[in-house]
Amino acid sequence: MILILTPDTDQQSSHYLRLMDHLNNLPSIEHRIHQEKGTQQTLTEIYLIGDTHTLNLDEMSSLPCVERAVRISEEYRVLGRHKDDTRPTSFEYNGITFGQNNLNIFAGLCAVNTPEHVEAMMKVLQENGQQCTRMGAYKPRTNPYSFQGFGKECLPYVFELAGQYDIKVVAMEITHESHIDEINEALEQTGNPTGVMLQIGTRNTQNFELLKIVGRQQRHPVLLKRGFGITLEESLNAAEYLASEGNSKVIFGLRGMKTNMGDPHRNFVDFAHVPVVKRLTRMPVCIDPSHSVGSRDLAPDNILDVMHVTAQGIIAGANMVLVDFHPEPKVALVDGPQALTLKELPYFLEDIRIARDAYEQRVALAKKHFN
Ligand code: PEP
Ligand code: MN
C-alpha cells in the first residue's frame, strides 16, 4: 500500500508525528518514506510493506497528512501502474517535461570525439529547435582494445557547448559510480550550463549495485536501457531498483534484443513493447532505433530502416527517441555505420512529426470509439 501525503507535509509537524506513531505500531508492517523535491513542492509517499491486506483503505486514507491511499500489487511498487493509481506519469527536469503523453528527441553523438564535432551537432540541433542530445563519454565496448570514450576529459567542453547552444538535457551513459562524481564535478566547474540524464546501458541493466547507487542520487534522471537478453519483467524490475532507492525519474529504453532472429538488423527490434511498458508502469518509454537496427540500410521505398522503426515506435506511443547522428560518420570512433548525418536531421524530424500526428489521431479515434 502507498500513502500519498498532502504536498509539502512538514516532517516536524505534530500531524506527521502522529501518523508516524500510528505506522510504527502496525504489526508486521514496515514502512519506507520516499520524498521527491520538486521546484514547486515536495511530495512524500510512504510505502507500507508486509501484511498490508489487513489494512482498511478508507481508514488509512483518513490518517493525518494522508491525501490518498493506494493498494498496490507486488509488481513494480513505485514505478508500476496500480488499480486507482492516479500518480503522475511524467516529471520535469531542467525545464523539459518527460512523460507518457509527450515526445522528446535526443539526437546526438554515440561517442564524443572532437569539440568541433560536438559543436557542429549542437548547432544543428539548435537550428532545428531541439533542446536535448545524446553524448557518449564513457563507452562500454565488447573489445578491450577498442576506443573506450574520452571520459571526464571531454565533459567540460561538452557541457559548455551545450549551454552555449541552449541544450537543456544531455543523455550520457555511465558504467561506474565514479562517473557520477566526474559529471557533477564538470558541471560545477563549468557553472551548470546544462542538465544530464544518466544512461544505464544494456550491458549494465542488471548491475544491481550500480542501480542502487544511481537510484540513491536524485539530482539526475535516469534512462535505463532494457537488458539485451533478459525478459521484459526482469528489465522492469531493474528500473524498480532505481526507484526503490529513491529516484523515480526513470525512463525505460527499448533498444532491441540480441538474437540472430533479428538478422540482418543488429538487434531484434522490440518496439511492440512500447504500449506494454506504458500499461505496466508509469515510466515514459524511449526507443533507440540506431542500436536496434545498426546500419543505414535503405528499403525499396527509399526510407532507411532506422527511420522505419523510429516511426513504428512513435506510432505506438513512444515518448523519447535516442538516436545516433554524426557530422562525419566515416570518422566516427564508435558506431559510424548506423549514424545519420546532420543534413538528415530536418528530414528525420519531419518524418517523426508525421508518425506522432498519426499516433495522436489514433488516440483520438480510440477515445471516440470507447466513449
Ligand atoms: C549507446 O546508447 O551508446 C549504447 C551503448 O547502447 P546500448 O546500451 O543499448 O547498447
Ligand atoms: Mn552506440
Side-chain angles (χ1 to χ4, degrees):
M1 184 178 286
I2 309 173
L3 305 180
I4 298 161
L5 307 194
T6 37
D8 295 321
T9 292
D10 176 5
Q11 298 205 354
Q12 311 303 326
S13 69
S14 59
H15 284 96
Y16 184 81
L17 298 177
R18 273 214 336 264
L19 171 66
M20 283 301 123
D21 199 41
H22 186 87
L23 299 183
N24 287 332
N25 285 312
L26 291 174
S28 317
I29 292 175
E30 285 177 36
H31 64 264
R32 203 188 264 203
I33 301 165
H34 178 87
Q35 239 190 10
E36 194 92 34
K37 287 194 172 75
T39 43
Q40 311 287 333
Q41 53 187 17
T42 298
L43 297 176
T44 308
E45 292 176 354
I46 302 180
Y47 293 85
L48 304 181
I49 302 156
D51 258 347
T52 54
H53 62 273
T54 55
L55 302 176
N56 178 292
L57 208 55
D58 289 337
E59 261 173 42
M60 297 307 286
S61 307
S62 60
L63 290 173
C65 306
V66 177
E67 189 175 83
R68 226 154 9 100
V70 178
R71 204 176 275 291
I72 54 173
S73 49
E74 283 305 297
E75 296 260 88
Y76 326 128
R77 283 185 185 147
V78 183
L79 293 173
R81 261 182 196 267
H82 307 288
K83 193 171 170 294
D84 301 324
D85 185 356
T86 54
R87 288 176 299 161
T89 55
S90 66
F91 62 84
E92 292 263 329
Y93 175 64
N94 214 23
I96 308 280
T97 302
F98 295 92
Q100 285 196 341
N101 294 322
N102 72 345
L103 176 63
N104 291 292
I105 315 296
F106 282 65
L109 307 182
C110 177
V112 170
N113 48 351
T114 65
E116 291 73 27
H117 283 149
V118 172
E119 180 157 19
M121 184 73 231
M122 290 183 177
K123 185 166 179 290
V124 76
L125 286 168
Q126 190 184 41
E127 284 164 3
N128 285 277
Q130 299 302 303
Q131 293 195 297
C132 301
T133 190
R134 58 159 296 153
M135 288 285 153
Y138 308 97
K139 300 304 299 177
R141 304 305 301 281
T142 305
N143 185 328
Y145 306 111
S146 301
F147 170 66
Q148 305 282 310
F150 282 118
K152 70 173 179 186
E153 196 186 303
C154 68
L155 299 180
Y157 72 76
V158 168
F159 296 157
E160 267 164 9
L161 286 166
Q164 222 167 295
Y165 288 94
D166 204 26
I167 299 289
K168 303 285 185 211
V169 188
V170 179
M172 181 172 279
E173 177 164 358
I174 56 156
T175 57
H176 190 268
E177 62 197 78
S178 58
H179 300 159
I180 309 173
D181 299 330
E182 292 177 3
I183 287 170
N184 286 341
E185 275 164 32
L187 284 171
E188 295 312 323
Q189 187 195 326
T190 53
N192 293 301
T194 188
V196 174
M197 179 181 289
L198 302 176
Q199 193 178 318
I200 306 276
T202 196
R203 293 160 187 80
N204 276 314
T205 308
Q206 284 191 313
N207 184 341
F208 300 118
E209 298 311 313
L210 180 64
L211 294 175
K212 286 185 205 166
I213 290 165
V214 174
R216 268 177 228 140
Q217 64 80 43
Q218 290 194 11
R219 175 169 178 184
H220 308 286
V222 186
L223 167 63
L224 177 86
K225 295 267 198 106
R226 174 188 197 164
F228 58 78
I230 56 176
T231 62
L232 181 65
E233 187 188 350
E234 286 164 335
S235 289
L236 295 177
N237 269 305
E240 184 71 14
Y241 258 93
L242 295 162
S244 74
E245 292 292 334
N247 191 341
S248 47
K249 292 185 173 167
V250 184
I251 296 178
F252 190 78
L254 297 171
R255 47 82 71 202
M257 306 300 292
K258 196 181 181 82
T259 156
N260 60 355
M261 302 295 172
D263 291 355
H265 289 158
R266 181 174 173 181
N267 287 290
F268 197 171
V269 183
D270 54 353
F271 300 167
H273 276 161
V274 168
V276 179
V277 177
K278 289 170 82 173
R279 178 172 66 245
L280 295 174
T281 77
R282 297 178 295 114
M283 287 185 279
V285 182
C286 173
I287 53 167
D288 178 341
S290 306
H291 290 84
S292 297
V293 168
S295 74
R296 290 184 46 94
D297 287 341
L298 198 66
D301 53 15
N302 277 328
I303 299 175
L304 292 164
D305 284 11
V306 170
M307 288 177 57
H308 266 301
V309 304
T310 303
Q312 287 159 14
I314 290 173
I315 205 168
N319 308 111
M320 172 170 159
V321 181
L322 189 76
V323 56
D324 291 1
F325 274 72
H326 201 282
E328 287 181 75
K330 279 199 175 62
V331 304
L333 294 170
V334 185
D335 285 346
Q338 70 195 24
L340 302 181
T341 63
L342 304 193
K343 250 184 31 214
E344 288 170 321
L345 184 66
Y347 162 46
F348 181 75
L349 294 173
E350 182 61 24
D351 195 50
I352 283 181
R353 205 158 300 128
I354 293 170
R356 178 69 190 177
D357 283 351
Y359 169 69
E360 284 170 4
Q361 285 176 40
R362 293 178 63 223
V363 172
L365 179 66
K367 201 166 167 191
K368 211 162 82 186
H369 176 72
F370 283 108
N371 278 343

